[in-house]
Amino acid sequence: MHLLSSARVKAGESVLVHGASGGVGLAACQIARVYGLKVLGTAGTEEGQKIVLQNGAHEVFNHREVNYIDKIKKYVGEKGIDVIIEMLANVNLSKDLSLLSHGGRVIVVGSRGTIEINPRDTMAKESSIIGVTLFSSTKEEFQQYAAALQAGMEIGWLKPVIGSQYPLEKVAEAHENIIHGSGATGKMILLL
């Protein structure tokens, strides 16, 4: 909810969720679909691509393919993408800017380092790069998001997808797998 409200989305716009097969990505796909957006996603495995399609995406692309950006550009055409939800900005941000529509927005959810971009790529399209973190939400905003998500789960349009499960004593292994793994499918859970 926070991601999409930060992006000021409108029904009918397009959204690309990079890393859509992880827990946050799948939730973003589900919520974006309910908002009336055209939902595109990326995932790096066949299993991940399948689960992204099952959770609200209209189309999914394999971000491990060398030419996947060209495939996305061909799919969306001249207009470009209105909103990109970016889980790994240090890898994708420069490419994201080339995919945006006029007035498009990149919402940075995650980054594991630095990246060099050309600011000119934001100028011609008058695009924006917006960083978000749930922890910067006010108490009231947090309560609003929680209430909306709870309602979504109660009526069935939001269905959390559970991925890997680890007992608490394997928290170090879980951390290693999320950092160095080949890609997440669903939300990783620690069992108490």
Side-chain angles (χ1 to χ4, degrees):
M1 305 294 286
H2 181 56
L3 302 178
L4 297 177
S5 65
S6 296
R8 303 172 318 278
V9 297
K10 299 178 202 89
E13 286 189 316
S14 59
V15 61
L16 170 66
V17 181
H18 257 310
S21 62
V24 173
L26 290 171
C29 288
Q30 292 176 19
I31 294 167
R33 186 68 179 255
V34 170
Y35 267 72
L37 302 176
K38 178 76 170 180
V39 183
L40 313 177
T42 70
T45 66
E46 193 172 317
E47 178 191 6
Q49 291 171 57
K50 185 176 174 183
I51 202 163
V52 169
L53 287 172
Q54 292 168 346
N55 283 276
H58 293 90
E59 190 67 44
V60 66
F61 301 89
N62 184 340
H63 58 236
R64 296 195 192 283
E65 290 181 4
V66 176
N67 63 341
Y68 84 97
I69 294 292
D70 293 331
K71 288 182 178 181
I72 295 172
K73 284 181 179 178
K74 184 176 180 182
Y75 183 83
V76 298
E78 291 286 316
K79 183 182 182 309
I81 297 168
D82 298 305
V83 176
I84 298 176
I85 297 177
E86 182 55 67
M87 309 298 174
L88 198 57
N90 60 297
V91 173
N92 298 315
L93 186 57
S94 183
K95 294 177 248 182
D96 292 344
L97 296 176
S98 74
L99 291 170
L100 288 176
S101 65
H102 189 273
R105 292 85 72 200
V106 178
I107 308 302
V108 177
V109 177
S111 185
R112 295 186 183 168
T114 61
I115 186 171
E116 185 172 315
I117 64 164
N118 184 342
R120 285 189 168 281
D121 292 340
T122 65
M123 294 165 60
K125 296 178 183 176
E126 296 185 345
S127 58
S128 304
I129 302 168
I130 303 165
V132 298
T133 176
L134 184 59
F135 304 111
S136 65
S137 300
T138 66
K139 183 178 178 182
E140 292 77 20
E141 288 172 328
F142 192 79
Q143 289 171 337
Q144 289 171 1
Y145 302 143
L149 294 175
Q150 179 68 37
M153 287 186 279
E154 287 172 2
I155 63 174
W157 62 257
L158 181 62
K159 298 176 183 169
V161 178
I162 306 301
S164 306
Q165 299 180 43
Y166 295 84
L168 189 56
E169 60 269 14
K170 292 195 176 181
V171 68
E173 181 182 333
H175 184 76
E176 283 294 317
N177 289 345
I178 203 138
I179 297 295
H180 301 294
S182 62
T185 303
K187 193 68 179 163
M188 180 184 285
I189 296 190
L190 289 175
L191 303 169
L192 300 176

